[in-house]
């Protein structure tokens, strides 16, 4: 094979590569721009149809209120959310029996703080619980930088991301910290329960499964 | 290095790449939790860049690796050209996807990095195959030729 023949083959291969690579890049860019122009419908969520107001999930007239103290980076909190939260939503919240209030804490590091601020900011759009659920679903290693701007944009939307340093968000975070200190919360997840508007009691959590919290809910409903 | 050695190495790399791409396709189809050291794989795999014209990038990668494997089975010029074209095209697309991960998504997927390394090595082998094809076989060189 001559040197000119070899160069010709290399040129043919390079042209083929440029056509292939260029086509794929073009199609990818086009798809991404279309996706940005017309955001896809949100995936069905267990929260669909349940009222939210700020940090609260469920009917404001529900007889029992459960307060959840959690860090969005805490793996046990994520496990509780995966294993138990859907059952509580189905059996109690959707039935109007239970209201759950999220008290976010950010003691694990900077990723906790970024995630929590954004989730609380989404509360003003009554979407805090969707953001919390979305972040737990995508939870990465502790302080690995997994709470990126792209992730927050995707899960919470640009409005919540932009509002995360607002004074009312800072005030909400400080309020949660004060409440946790007052309740003697030493780790997460932790829960308080009581009649709505009444005195709250700390729930000793023996299991991250539904069996860990259901007896306390049933007892408070029955009281 | 002989063409046979390069073909064997290409086949081995293609199998490794197909395994990575196949795993990502499986995770996508079953919704299984992805094994990921950086924690960024889920974000990257669920981004709008994870599909091209509705086809998952992982599936495109799987098809690409199978094509590369096929080209390793044949010793003719057409196979060398297809391997070089596909491998270099894959390097171009992989470079773009790496830029997307770092600059646009802000997360990096481990599996994508492994695939990037495999496809780059495959492209280098493809270029070597083109060079080997250019050199005349040793048996065709007679003493008189080199005098």
């Amino acid at each position: 094979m001559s040197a000119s023949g070899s160069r010709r083959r290399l040129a043919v291969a390079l042209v083929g590569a440029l056509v292939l690579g260029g086509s794929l890049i073009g199609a990818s860019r086009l798809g991404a721009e279309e996706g940005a122009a017309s955001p896809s419908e949100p995936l069905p969520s267990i929260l669909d149809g349940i009222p939210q107001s700020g940090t609260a999930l469920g009917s404001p007239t529900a007889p029992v209120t459960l307060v959840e103290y959690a860090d969005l980076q805490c793996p046990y909190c994520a496990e509780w959310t995966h294993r138990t939260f859907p059952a509580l939503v189905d059996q109690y919240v959707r039935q109007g029996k239970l209201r759950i209030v999220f008290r976010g804490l950010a003691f694990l590091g900077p990723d906790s703080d970024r995630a929590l601020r954004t989730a609380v900011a989404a509360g003003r759009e009554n979407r805090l619980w969707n953001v919390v659920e979305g972040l737990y679903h995508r939870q990465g290693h502790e302080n690995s930088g997994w709470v990126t701007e792209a992730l927050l944009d995707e899960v919470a939307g640009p409005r919540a991301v932009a509002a995360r340093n607002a004074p009312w968000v800072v005030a909400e975070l400080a309020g949660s910290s004060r409440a946790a200190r007052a309740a003697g919360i030493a780790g997460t997840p932790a829960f308080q329960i009581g009649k709505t508007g009444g005195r709250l009691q700390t729930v000793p959590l023996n299991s991250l499964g539904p069996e860990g919290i259901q007896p306390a809910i049933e007892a408070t409903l029955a009281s | 290095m002989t063409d046979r050695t390069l073909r064997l190495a290409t086949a081995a790399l293609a199998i490794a790449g197909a395994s990575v791409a196949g795993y990502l396709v499986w995770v996508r189809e079953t919704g299984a939790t992805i094994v990921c050291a950086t924690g960024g794989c889920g974000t990257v795999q669920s981004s709008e860049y994870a599909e091209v014209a509705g086809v998952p990038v992982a599936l495109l990668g799987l098809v690409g690796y199978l094509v590369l494997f096929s080209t390793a089975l044949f010793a003719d010029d057409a196979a060398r050209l297809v391997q070089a074209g596909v491998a270099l095209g894959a390097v171009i697309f992989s470079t773009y996807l790496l830029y997307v991960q770092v600059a646009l998504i802000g997360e990096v997927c481990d599996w994508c990095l492994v695939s990037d390394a495999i496809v780059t090595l495959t492209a280098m082998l493809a270029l070597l195959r083109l060079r080997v094809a250019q050199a005349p076989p040793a048996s065709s060189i007679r003493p008189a030729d080199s005098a």
Side-chain angles (χ1 to χ4, degrees), chain A:
Chain A
M1 193 186 298
S2 69
S4 66
S6 170
R7 275 197 297 273
R8 196 166 55 243
R9 278 158 211 275
L10 183 60
V12 169
L14 282 175
V15 168
L18 286 172
V19 169
L20 177 65
S23 304
L24 288 171
I25 291 171
S28 172
R29 297 290 308 154
L30 198 65
E33 282 165 17
E34 280 173 3
S38 55
S40 55
E41 285 291 305
L43 291 173
S45 161
I46 56 166
L47 302 172
D48 286 350
I50 298 177
Q52 293 187 43
S53 175
T55 58
L57 175 75
S59 168
T61 60
V64 174
T65 292
L66 179 72
V67 177
E68 176 189 357
Y69 294 91
D71 186 310
L72 291 167
Q73 282 208 93
C74 150
Y76 298 113
C77 303
E79 187 180 340
W80 185 86
T81 298
H82 298 322
R83 286 176 59 188
T84 302
F85 182 66
L88 297 194
V89 168
D90 266 358
Q91 291 172 31
Y92 302 105
V93 180
R94 200 173 283 285
Q95 314 301 326
K97 297 176 181 173
L98 181 70
R99 173 175 171 263
I100 309 180
V101 175
F102 185 80
R103 291 273 184 229
L105 304 174
F107 60 88
L108 288 175
D111 276 343
S112 303
D113 186 59
R114 257 197 311 278
L116 178 59
R117 282 169 182 269
T118 310
V120 169
R124 185 152 280 195
E125 301 167 43
N126 297 326
R127 293 190 306 107
L128 174 142
W129 284 90
N130 300 75
V131 175
V132 166
E133 197 192 13
L135 288 172
Y136 277 137
H137 183 67
R138 311 279 283 279
Q139 192 183 68
H141 289 299
E142 210 173 289
N143 293 321
S144 61
W146 65 276
V147 184
T148 62
E149 295 302 306
L151 175 66
L152 293 175
D153 256 340
E154 190 184 328
V155 173
R159 235 181 340 193
V161 171
R164 68 182 175 198
N165 293 321
W168 58 269
V169 172
V170 176
E172 178 67 39
L173 264 59
S176 289
S177 295
R178 273 198 307 274
R181 272 198 304 275
I185 302 299
T188 57
F191 299 89
Q192 288 186 297
I193 197 166
K195 290 284 188 187
T196 299
R199 193 162 170 271
L200 296 169
Q201 290 191 323
T202 301
V203 181
L205 201 64
N206 301 318
S207 162
L208 292 173
E211 67 278 7
I213 196 89
Q214 272 172 337
I217 297 173
E218 292 291 346
T220 312
L221 279 169
S223 65

